[in-house]
């Protein structure tokens, strides 16, 4: 079984989402439906990264909860995005959020490489 035949956390088959190593469908915010990335502009990669949870447990005041994410769309130029916001810098990274509803982080921007990474588990495809 190839890496593209696996299913992601939303139950979609990778073969339905990935074509020629890139996103086959438009990438949208899973909360407001705003377009984040057009078709075939993000290269699918597997790499492990810890990202803060999109919804933090408010009972754990002052503590940031994280999760490991391992499937991303790699975007070399930040001007490729349709609607994306960038946070302030945290340890050489900026987190990405939906520019319309501020949901996030949907991924991260690496200050060293100047490349962005959108987590497949945190977006929708349309």
């Amino acid at each position: 079984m190839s890496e593209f035949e696996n299913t992601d956390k939303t139950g979609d088959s990778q073969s339905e989402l990935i074509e020629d190593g890139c996103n086959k469908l438009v990438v949208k915010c899973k909360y407001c439906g705003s377009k984040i990335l057009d078709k075939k502009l993000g290269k699918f990669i597997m790499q492990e990264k810890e990202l803060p949870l999109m919804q933090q447990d408010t009972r754990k005041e002052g503590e940031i909860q994280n999760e490991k994410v391992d499937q991303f769309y790699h975007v070399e130029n930040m001007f490729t995005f349709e609607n994306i916001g960038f946070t302030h810098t945290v340890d050489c990274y900026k987190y990405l959020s939906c520019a319309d509803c501020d949901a996030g982080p949907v991924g991260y921007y690496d200050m060293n490489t100047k490349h962005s990474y959108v987590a497949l588990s945190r977006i929708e495809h349309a």
Side-chain angles (χ1 to χ4, degrees):
M1 179 182 290
S2 79
E3 64 183 310
F4 299 121
E5 292 175 10
N6 295 329
T7 56
D8 68 9
K9 293 177 178 116
T10 62
D12 291 327
S13 169
Q14 295 265 330
S15 60
E16 294 174 17
L17 305 177
I18 311 299
E19 184 175 77
D20 299 327
C22 295
N23 58 304
K24 183 177 181 178
L25 305 169
V26 170
V27 172
K28 299 174 104 178
C29 174
K30 69 185 338 183
Y31 293 96
C32 74
S34 181
K35 186 194 315 188
I36 293 174
L37 190 63
D38 219 341
K39 296 176 185 178
K40 301 198 175 220
L41 295 179
K43 181 181 176 190
F44 177 80
I45 63 166
M46 302 252 332
Q47 70 177 20
E48 192 169 283
K49 174 76 175 160
E50 275 201 22
L51 292 177
L53 291 174
M54 291 182 78
Q55 295 181 341
Q56 295 286 318
D57 184 346
T58 57
R59 295 173 292 176
K60 297 183 179 184
E61 190 174 319
E63 180 184 332
I64 303 294
Q65 299 100 47
N66 296 307
E67 74 172 328
K68 288 183 182 175
V69 181
D70 63 4
Q71 297 179 345
F72 292 90
Y73 288 128
H74 171 234
V75 179
E76 288 190 19
N77 186 334
M78 68 181 183
F79 297 108
T80 303
F81 290 107
E82 296 287 327
N83 295 300
I84 204 76
F86 294 81
T87 67
H88 60 280
T89 305
V90 179
D91 298 328
C92 295
Y93 299 103
K94 290 180 182 277
Y95 293 110
L96 306 178
S97 64
C98 173
D100 287 339
C101 73
D102 287 330
V106 296
Y108 69 98
Y109 174 79
D110 187 322
M111 297 292 292
N112 295 318
T113 64
K114 308 290 189 225
H115 293 177
S116 300
Y117 303 87
V118 178
L120 270 68
S121 61
R122 297 186 176 198
I123 49 94
E124 279 186 347
H125 295 84

